[in-house]
Amino acid sequence: MKEEVTGQILVSRSREHEEPLSIYRLLPSMREYRTLHFDNSPVDVMRWQLDGSTGTYPTNFTAEWGGHPRWTKSEFPNGDPSSPVLSRRGADLLLSDLERAGRLLPVHIENAEADEYLLYLVERVADCLDMGKSSPPDQLGRVRKSVFRADALPADVPAFRSTGFPTAVCWNGWAAERLSVLLGDQLEVRLVWSEDPGLVPHPNPWGF
Protein backbone atom coordinates (compact mmCIF):
# COMPACT_ATOMS: atom_id res chain seq x y z
CA MET A 1 0.00 0.00 0.00
CA LYS A 2 1.51 3.32 -1.02
CA GLU A 3 1.77 6.27 1.30
CA GLU A 4 -1.11 8.70 1.16
CA VAL A 5 -0.41 12.42 1.40
CA THR A 6 -3.14 14.69 2.74
CA GLY A 7 -1.35 17.86 3.83
CA GLN A 8 1.13 15.76 5.80
CA ILE A 9 2.69 12.36 5.30
CA LEU A 10 0.63 9.44 6.43
CA VAL A 11 2.45 6.13 6.36
CA SER A 12 0.57 2.95 5.70
CA ARG A 13 2.72 -0.16 5.61
CA SER A 14 1.79 -3.41 3.92
CA ARG A 15 4.83 -5.60 3.31
CA GLU A 16 2.93 -7.25 0.47
CA HIS A 17 2.55 -4.18 -1.74
CA GLU A 18 4.83 -1.45 -0.39
CA GLU A 19 7.83 -0.01 -2.19
CA PRO A 20 11.26 -1.31 -1.13
CA LEU A 21 12.63 0.23 2.05
CA SER A 22 15.44 2.71 1.49
CA ILE A 23 17.59 4.79 3.85
CA TYR A 24 19.12 8.17 2.97
CA ARG A 25 21.41 10.85 4.27
CA LEU A 26 20.30 14.43 3.62
CA LEU A 27 22.63 17.40 3.13
CA PRO A 28 22.46 20.95 1.81
CA SER A 29 23.12 21.04 -1.91
CA MET A 30 26.34 22.51 -3.30
CA ARG A 31 24.40 25.12 -5.24
CA GLU A 32 24.45 28.80 -4.38
CA TYR A 33 22.59 28.70 -1.08
CA ARG A 34 23.78 30.03 2.26
CA THR A 35 24.41 27.43 4.95
CA LEU A 36 24.81 27.61 8.72
CA HIS A 37 28.19 27.33 10.43
CA PHE A 38 27.88 26.15 14.02
CA ASP A 39 30.09 26.74 17.03
CA ASN A 40 30.73 23.57 19.08
CA SER A 41 27.02 22.82 19.48
CA PRO A 42 27.06 19.64 17.31
CA VAL A 43 29.83 18.23 19.52
CA ASP A 44 27.46 18.40 22.50
CA VAL A 45 24.81 16.63 20.43
CA MET A 46 27.24 13.86 19.50
CA ARG A 47 28.28 13.36 23.12
CA TRP A 48 24.65 12.96 24.09
CA GLN A 49 24.13 10.50 21.24
CA LEU A 50 27.23 8.46 22.12
CA ASP A 51 26.15 8.34 25.77
CA GLY A 52 23.02 6.48 24.75
CA SER A 53 20.75 9.53 24.41
CA THR A 54 20.19 9.53 28.15
CA GLY A 55 20.35 12.42 30.57
CA THR A 56 19.83 16.05 29.67
CA TYR A 57 20.01 16.72 25.95
CA PRO A 58 21.70 19.92 24.71
CA THR A 59 19.45 22.89 23.98
CA ASN A 60 21.81 25.79 23.30
CA PHE A 61 22.69 26.01 19.61
CA THR A 62 24.50 28.97 18.05
CA ALA A 63 25.43 29.43 14.41
CA GLU A 64 26.16 32.05 11.78
CA TRP A 65 25.43 32.23 8.09
CA GLY A 66 28.13 31.34 5.57
CA GLY A 67 28.18 31.88 1.83
CA HIS A 68 27.68 34.97 -0.28
CA PRO A 69 25.27 37.48 1.32
CA ARG A 70 23.29 37.66 -1.93
CA TRP A 71 22.58 33.94 -1.97
CA THR A 72 19.28 32.58 -0.71
CA LYS A 73 19.36 31.02 2.75
CA SER A 74 18.93 27.27 2.52
CA GLU A 75 15.94 25.68 4.23
CA PHE A 76 18.15 22.67 5.05
CA PRO A 77 21.33 24.55 5.95
CA ASN A 78 23.48 22.09 7.91
CA GLY A 79 25.34 19.03 6.62
CA ASP A 80 26.43 17.58 9.95
CA PRO A 81 24.96 14.05 10.01
CA SER A 82 24.26 14.26 13.74
CA SER A 83 22.36 17.55 13.66
CA PRO A 84 20.00 18.22 10.75
CA VAL A 85 18.48 21.70 10.67
CA LEU A 86 15.23 22.80 9.02
CA SER A 87 13.65 26.15 8.43
CA ARG A 88 10.52 26.84 10.43
CA ARG A 89 8.48 26.58 7.21
CA GLY A 90 9.87 23.17 6.34
CA ALA A 91 9.52 21.90 9.89
CA ASP A 92 5.92 23.08 10.16
CA LEU A 93 4.94 21.22 7.00
CA LEU A 94 6.17 17.94 8.50
CA LEU A 95 5.68 18.75 12.16
CA SER A 96 3.47 15.86 13.30
CA ASP A 97 5.74 13.33 11.60
CA LEU A 98 9.01 14.84 12.82
CA GLU A 99 7.82 14.96 16.42
CA ARG A 100 7.21 11.20 16.43
CA ALA A 101 10.97 10.62 16.25
CA GLY A 102 12.43 13.55 18.15
CA ARG A 103 12.12 17.22 18.99
CA LEU A 104 12.77 20.51 17.23
CA LEU A 105 14.98 22.98 19.10
CA PRO A 106 15.63 26.64 18.20
CA VAL A 107 18.95 27.73 16.71
CA HIS A 108 20.31 31.14 17.68
CA ILE A 109 21.79 32.75 14.57
CA GLU A 110 24.23 35.59 15.11
CA ASN A 111 23.14 38.99 13.77
CA ALA A 112 19.88 37.55 12.44
CA GLU A 113 17.04 38.17 14.87
CA ALA A 114 14.32 37.35 12.34
CA ASP A 115 15.65 33.94 11.32
CA GLU A 116 13.73 30.90 12.47
CA TYR A 117 15.62 27.65 12.14
CA LEU A 118 15.28 24.48 14.17
CA LEU A 119 17.73 21.70 14.94
CA TYR A 120 16.10 18.28 14.71
CA LEU A 121 17.23 16.25 17.72
CA VAL A 122 16.39 12.69 16.71
CA GLU A 123 15.65 10.55 19.76
CA ARG A 124 14.41 7.40 18.04
CA VAL A 125 17.19 4.78 18.13
CA ALA A 126 16.86 1.31 16.61
CA ASP A 127 19.03 -1.80 16.71
CA CYS A 128 18.71 -2.33 12.97
CA LEU A 129 22.23 -2.07 11.53
CA ASP A 130 23.65 -5.47 10.58
CA MET A 131 27.18 -5.05 11.90
CA GLY A 132 28.27 -8.39 10.43
CA LYS A 133 27.44 -7.30 6.88
CA SER A 134 28.25 -3.60 7.24
CA SER A 135 31.77 -2.22 7.00
CA PRO A 136 33.57 -1.63 10.32
CA PRO A 137 33.39 1.93 11.71
CA ASP A 138 36.31 4.20 10.87
CA GLN A 139 38.21 6.30 13.44
CA LEU A 140 35.33 8.78 13.53
CA GLY A 141 32.74 6.05 14.02
CA ARG A 142 31.38 6.36 10.48
CA VAL A 143 30.13 3.24 8.72
CA ARG A 144 30.99 3.61 5.04
CA LYS A 145 28.84 0.67 3.86
CA SER A 146 25.64 0.11 5.84
CA VAL A 147 23.43 -2.96 5.64
CA PHE A 148 20.18 -2.74 7.57
CA ARG A 149 17.86 -5.45 8.81
CA ALA A 150 14.57 -4.58 7.15
CA ASP A 151 12.47 -6.26 9.84
CA ALA A 152 14.02 -4.02 12.52
CA LEU A 153 13.79 -0.68 10.70
CA PRO A 154 11.46 1.91 12.28
CA ALA A 155 9.81 2.68 8.94
CA ASP A 156 6.91 4.53 10.57
CA VAL A 157 9.02 7.58 11.51
CA PRO A 158 10.78 10.02 9.17
CA ALA A 159 14.21 9.61 10.74
CA PHE A 160 16.08 7.53 13.29
CA ARG A 161 19.56 6.63 14.50
CA SER A 162 21.03 3.15 14.74
CA THR A 163 22.77 1.67 17.76
CA GLY A 164 25.71 0.75 15.52
CA PHE A 165 26.20 4.34 14.32
CA PRO A 166 24.38 6.58 16.81
CA THR A 167 25.79 9.92 15.61
CA ALA A 168 24.22 9.68 12.15
CA VAL A 169 20.60 10.59 11.41
CA CYS A 170 19.11 8.21 8.85
CA TRP A 171 16.06 9.27 6.85
CA ASN A 172 13.46 6.81 5.61
CA GLY A 173 12.75 6.96 1.89
CA TRP A 174 9.24 8.37 2.20
CA ALA A 175 10.49 11.31 4.29
CA ALA A 176 13.46 11.96 2.01
CA GLU A 177 11.11 12.04 -0.96
CA ARG A 178 8.73 14.44 0.75
CA LEU A 179 11.55 16.82 1.71
CA SER A 180 12.96 16.63 -1.81
CA VAL A 181 9.59 17.76 -3.17
CA LEU A 182 9.44 20.62 -0.64
CA LEU A 183 13.02 21.84 -0.97
CA GLY A 184 13.95 21.00 -4.54
CA ASP A 185 17.56 21.78 -5.48
CA GLN A 186 18.35 23.01 -1.96
CA LEU A 187 18.75 19.39 -0.89
CA GLU A 188 21.29 16.67 -1.69
CA VAL A 189 19.96 13.15 -1.13
CA ARG A 190 22.43 10.27 -0.77
CA LEU A 191 21.29 6.68 -0.76
CA VAL A 192 22.76 4.77 2.19
CA TRP A 193 20.97 1.44 1.73
CA SER A 194 17.98 -0.09 -0.01
CA GLU A 195 16.12 -3.37 -0.23
CA ASP A 196 16.08 -2.84 -3.98
CA PRO A 197 19.22 -4.50 -5.42
CA GLY A 198 18.93 -2.28 -8.47
CA LEU A 199 19.63 0.87 -6.43
CA VAL A 200 23.33 1.58 -5.89
CA PRO A 201 24.23 3.30 -2.59
CA HIS A 202 26.42 6.39 -2.60
CA PRO A 203 30.09 5.31 -2.37
CA ASN A 204 30.71 7.49 0.70
CA PRO A 205 27.33 8.60 2.08
CA TRP A 206 28.66 10.04 5.35
CA GLY A 207 31.63 11.89 3.87
CA PHE A 208 31.74 15.47 2.67
Side-chain angles (χ1 to χ4, degrees):
M1 187 178 298
K2 293 189 68 176
E3 295 147 4
E4 178 186 356
V5 179
T6 55
Q8 65 180 18
I9 301 173
L10 300 178
V11 181
S12 181
R13 288 239 166 245
S14 168
R15 292 301 295 168
E16 215 176 313
H17 303 291
E18 70 182 6
E19 295 180 0
L21 295 171
S22 297
I23 302 300
Y24 294 86
R25 180 199 175 180
L26 305 184
L27 307 89
S29 76
M30 297 299 290
R31 294 175 180 270
E32 293 182 348
Y33 289 99
R34 301 191 73 184
T35 55
L36 284 176
H37 297 170
F38 276 80
D39 55 9
N40 289 327
S41 304
V43 174
D44 294 332
V45 173
M46 291 175 66
R47 286 176 180 152
W48 177 79
Q49 292 168 338
L50 289 168
D51 286 341
S53 305
T54 59
T56 303
Y57 53 83
T59 58
N60 187 24
F61 305 109
T62 303
E64 62 181 359
W65 285 109
H68 197 288
R70 293 184 180 177
W71 293 354
T72 301
K73 293 171 182 173
S74 173
E75 293 196 68
F76 195 94
N78 182 37
D80 192 309
S82 68
S83 312
V85 174
L86 289 160
S87 68
R88 172 73 68 177
R89 183 190 81 93
D92 283 348
L93 289 171
L94 297 173
L95 187 60
S96 61
D97 289 299
L98 294 172
E99 289 182 335
R100 289 189 287 113
R103 61 190 72 223
L104 293 153
L105 303 170
V107 176
H108 171 68
I109 302 175
E110 294 183 8
N111 302 318
E113 294 181 5
D115 284 304
E116 286 192 291
Y117 282 78
L118 302 165
L119 185 143
Y120 187 32
L121 190 76
V122 176
E123 297 170 291
R124 183 70 174 269
V125 181
D127 182 10
C128 57
L129 189 64
D130 190 329
M131 299 304 293
K133 296 180 180 179
S134 301
S135 60
D138 64 15
Q139 292 182 336
L140 298 177
R142 296 175 301 192
V143 178
R144 190 182 186 97
K145 175 188 175 183
S146 299
V147 178
F148 290 89
R149 293 184 292 111
D151 61 340
L153 278 176
D156 60 320
V157 293
F160 65 92
R161 295 181 291 113
S162 71
T163 54
F165 189 7
T167 59
V169 172
C170 299
W171 294 84
N172 276 306
W174 60 268
E177 181 180 2
R178 178 62 170 159
L179 283 168
S180 294
V181 171
L182 290 173
L183 303 182
D185 66 2
Q186 298 185 47
L187 195 66
E188 179 183 345
V189 179
R190 294 184 182 178
L191 180 65
V192 176
W193 169 88
S194 179
E195 284 184 311
D196 184 347
L199 296 179
V200 179
H202 189 281
N204 188 19
W206 304 108
F208 286 95

